[in-house]
Amino acid sequence: MVSFLEIAAEWKRKHKWWFRTIFALVSFAVLCGFGLMYLAYLMPLPPVFDTEEYPTTKILDRNGKLLYEVLQPDFGKRTIVPLREIPQSFINATLAAEDINFYSHPGVDVFAIARAVVFNVREQRIVSGASTITQQLVRNIIGKTEVRDLGDKVLEAAYAVRITNMYSKDEILELYLNRVYYGNMSYGAQSAALDYFGKNLNDLDLAQSSLIAGLPQSPSRYNPFEAFDSAKQRQKYVLEQMAKNGYITREEADAAFAEPLTLRPARHSILAPHFVHFVLNELENKYGEEALRKGGLTVRTTLDLDLQLKAERIIERQIARLERNNVQSGALVAMDVKNGQVLAWVGSADYFDEEIHGAVDVVTSLRQPGSSIKPLTYLLAFEKGYTPATVIFDIPTQFNTDSGPYSPKNYDLKFHGPVRARTALASSFNIPAVKTLEYVGIDSFIVFLRKLGIDTLNMPASHYGLALTLGGGEVRLIDMAGAFNVIANYGTRFDYSTVLEVKDGNGNLIEEWRRPREEFVLGARGREHAYQVIDILKDADARLPGFGESTVLELPFEAAVKTGTTRNFKDNWTIGFSPELLTAVWVGNADASAMENISGITGAAPIWSDFMKEAGGAGGSFEVPSGIVETEICEVSGKLPTDLCEKRVFEIFARGDEPKELDDYYRLFSLNKSTGLIVPEACVTRHDPQLIEEKVLVAYPAGLQKWAAGNGLALPQFEPCALSNEQPNAYTNGYPGEQADGDSSLTNAEYSDAAGNDLADSNAGRADDAPSFTNDGGNDSPFTNAADDDSSLSNAGRADDVPSSTTAARAAIVIDSPSPNDEYLLQSGLPLEAQKIPLRVTVPYDTIKVTWFVDGAAAGVVADKPFTLLWAPSLGGHRVKAAAALSTGETIETPEITFYIR
């Protein structure tokens, strides 16, 4: 009889491969079994209640003064609560948030691991984790500090399996809920409940429980005191998971998420709290949370505690003065101009004052900057062709935008006529700023702001519209400070710094400050253009029309400064710098409630002024780039003065940008002494020479004549003369000058004292800035206008408003833009639709519609005032003319002019 062993031997001889495979599988299974037995019952385990002390992490100022000491994890705030006393709703929230299969897996969730692998591979990044509550207990409590590689992960899983076989699920969950870190030095759920809501865990409702239960995943990222919106999004996830797994209904989840939450004020022994929390978050992102809490780091920051305390005292003093104006808070950030190191950082008037939402850090919050953003608009305009001498018409102007007509007003509700860019920026006039943004283009401006470090304007240009230059977009105070620092460094950008050095628990240097990478972000003449902005912002004389004399903006040393106030009084800014120190200040209310009767020089400016003086911000004089030249110009036109020009000033230019045209505003006329009227040149010989005298008058271009007449300025009044084309009263009402910049809808009364709701940044206590609304479309033309001497731009700069000749007054219809031989440079990277050119015209008051012709073909018919057509450009030379249809049935045309797209 054949034995079993003989049969097995025969089968092995005939099937060697299968035999070896089965043997290997069986052996592997046996080994795995022994391995699991070892993990489950024999593997040594560190003591669960490990009381090893870790060196504390210390945050110091630049001079070694202690700002904050991170408490040791096992010596932080903790109150032990038995599991039976923990509310089931909180347990359910924790399970839903962290480990829904906690009671069914052996310490490691294989299905969760598989799901995480699939998600992470699909997304090509870490989007899902698979750590169980037991694994988190191992990592955060038992002693394995930080998972760095696969070996660490395997060891963590092994410990989790071992713990699961040593303790019951309830015991593990109780350990977790009493030892896990919930942020702000709170260890365990009971401590977190007391810290965040001032309640015992048993007294929390669903909304409060779900918020706290979501914190352990990342206590810093979801810190309710610093990042409440992020904490709310995490709460939403927890509630959705609870509803998904049947713990609550969808209606209960929605109601809990909608419930307003009031946090208990956070009070710890901490100096410069907003700055310290910012640094802690940066360190956690770089080194991990465990290194921060247990690594014993010594962090020397850039902050100067003495300057910090001065800033806090100054803000406290000024906010107390402004209490009657419903001003509750203020913020300040100061940095070294030369290296970007942050020296002071005050996020609110009182970090611990819950009534003013003091924990909100306005230095990093999104707020509207008001007119403080105007210098950046003009800087781009200088890059594209403007100069400080560019003349812009500050007159009633209606802009034809994608979302409808837009007519901005100035803070003083007045119109100032022809103003040079220097005065327009320094005095913070709104209409010139909007025209300047129209010139550079909204899309181009947003791209430019990103180059300067402002990256929060992520909506389409049409969302912001032309109000963007008046502060109609949300930015951060720290980013605005960085952008102004680019100007202070003449076009060179580098990131700001908050840390000088980091040492580990053994004193080893692991990080040391190095000068940030520098990038020059302006064009070939960028140094000169940045200096032009600096020179304007420190020019007290140029500020006179808007701010008056002897304001707090004037320091005993050189400093460039700009204020800003939003139209609805929700935000008030002052940003300025000396050659050594830059300071940006905000005042307002964290809850965005409106202040009352606050201007740029009564709100934030006193804080800026006091801090700059107390901080010793004097730094000598601003360096003048070698490419800057000074040239005498005629004040009213910005062009080279003739012998007739009565008012002259000196202006600075980048070499090569000096004006080339002679002034054509001051003209010599022949005056009939008997009538007081101007005799046309062709008719002078018909008059008695004894009755003729020569007189110099300002012959304002067509677009300015109505403004001049409304302001009582003497205008040439011509006698009738059959031999001349000059018309009687050619410079008064009834002729093209009546339509101010194409806005024929404005009456004389509206023209002289038009009411509006733009506010002022002036001594009058109004705000110069603008609208919080963001619905003005983008009729921008983001080109460089390199016009020659025949262009509509004054050759002192590039004035987009000035007709190329005073003979425009003799015509009944005049093309204002483009002007003969204008050149527009398309900007690469922007679609043509975003670079439309505004074709603008001055027409008689009884015009019904205007037909535009480009290259001989009809380009569009406009029946709404101001009859502007937004024309999509194409490369090459183009011919344009306009035909106006009048209510009388008559049609009149302009001459055809040529312009170029490069």
Side-chain angles (χ1 to χ4, degrees), residues 371 374 393-399 405-416 424 427-435 466-467 469-471 565-567 743 745-747 749-761 766-771 773 776:
S371 285
K374 286 177 182 174
F393 289 4
D394 184 9
I395 57 179
T397 306
Q398 187 178 82
F399 296 89
Y406 172 43
S407 300
K409 303 290 190 300
N410 286 322
Y411 61 83
D412 56 3
L413 306 180
K414 297 179 182 179
F415 305 98
H416 308 92
S427 289
S428 202
F429 295 150
N430 286 341
I431 295 172
V434 174
K435 289 185 175 183
L466 294 172
T469 191
L470 307 182
T565 307
T566 56
R567 178 190 181 199
D743 187 4
S745 63
L746 295 173
T747 66
E750 290 172 320
Y751 189 90
S752 59
D753 60 356
N757 55 4
D758 273 4
L759 307 173
D761 230 8
R766 299 187 176 122
D768 62 347
D769 334 64
F773 53 82
D776 300 299

Side-chain angles (χ1 to χ4, degrees), residues 476-498:
R476 299 185 181 96
L477 186 65
I478 186 65
D479 293 341
M480 284 289 287
F484 270 66
N485 207 42
V486 174
I487 299 175
N489 283 280
Y490 300 85
T492 298
R493 177 190 170 188
F494 45 82
D495 293 335
Y496 62 89
S497 305
T498 57

Side-chain angles (χ1 to χ4, degrees), residues 725-802:
N725 290 326
E726 297 282 8
Q727 300 295 320
N729 305 327
Y731 294 89
T732 58
N733 291 345
Y735 286 86
E738 184 171 353
Q739 288 78 45
D741 214 10
D743 187 4
S744 57
S745 63
L746 295 173
T747 66
N748 282 336
E750 290 172 320
Y751 189 90
S752 59
D753 60 356
N757 55 4
D758 273 4
L759 307 173
D761 230 8
S762 71
N763 280 328
R766 299 187 176 122
D768 62 347
D769 334 64
S772 54
F773 53 82
T774 57
N775 58 353
D776 300 299
N779 63 330
D780 40 296
S781 54
F783 314 102
T784 297
N785 191 334
D788 62 14
D789 291 352
D790 294 323
S791 110
S792 63
L793 304 177
S794 77
N795 73 10
R798 317 287 204 257
D800 60 349
D801 311 89
V802 185

Side-chain angles (χ1 to χ4, degrees), residues 370-393:
S371 285
S372 66
I373 203 170
K374 286 177 182 174
L376 309 182
T377 310
Y378 282 91
L379 176 58
L380 179 57
F382 292 163
E383 288 278 279
K384 286 179 170 285
Y386 270 28
T387 75
T390 295
V391 170
I392 310 169
F393 289 4

Side-chain angles (χ1 to χ4, degrees), residues 619-690:
S621 300
F622 289 101
E623 177 188 355
V624 181
S626 59
I628 287 290
V629 295
E630 190 174 56
T631 301
E632 188 180 39
I633 61 172
C634 192
E635 184 180 45
V636 68
S637 67
K639 302 178 182 181
L640 293 174
T642 66
D643 292 339
L644 303 177
C645 179
E646 298 178 359
K647 295 182 178 180
R648 308 180 183 203
V649 295
F650 282 91
E651 187 54 88
I652 60 171
F653 301 88
R655 183 174 286 109
D657 288 345
E658 306 96 309
K660 300 175 180 62
E661 289 183 356
L662 292 174
D663 170 63
D664 55 3
Y665 279 52
Y666 287 95
R667 294 174 57 191
L668 187 63
F669 293 96
S670 298
L671 180 70
N672 186 333
K673 288 190 274 187
S674 63
T675 65
L677 298 177
I678 302 299
V679 179
E681 191 173 332
C683 302
V684 170
T685 57
R686 294 191 171 195
H687 288 69
D688 182 352
Q690 299 298 321

Side-chain angles (χ1 to χ4, degrees), residues 268-291:
H268 305 303
S269 179
I270 184 172
L271 298 174
H274 292 101
F275 175 78
V276 167
H277 281 296
F278 180 85
V279 171
L280 290 174
N281 287 335
E282 293 293 301
L283 293 171
E284 181 183 337
N285 291 335
K286 184 178 293 187
Y287 300 111
E289 186 177 327
E290 290 301 311

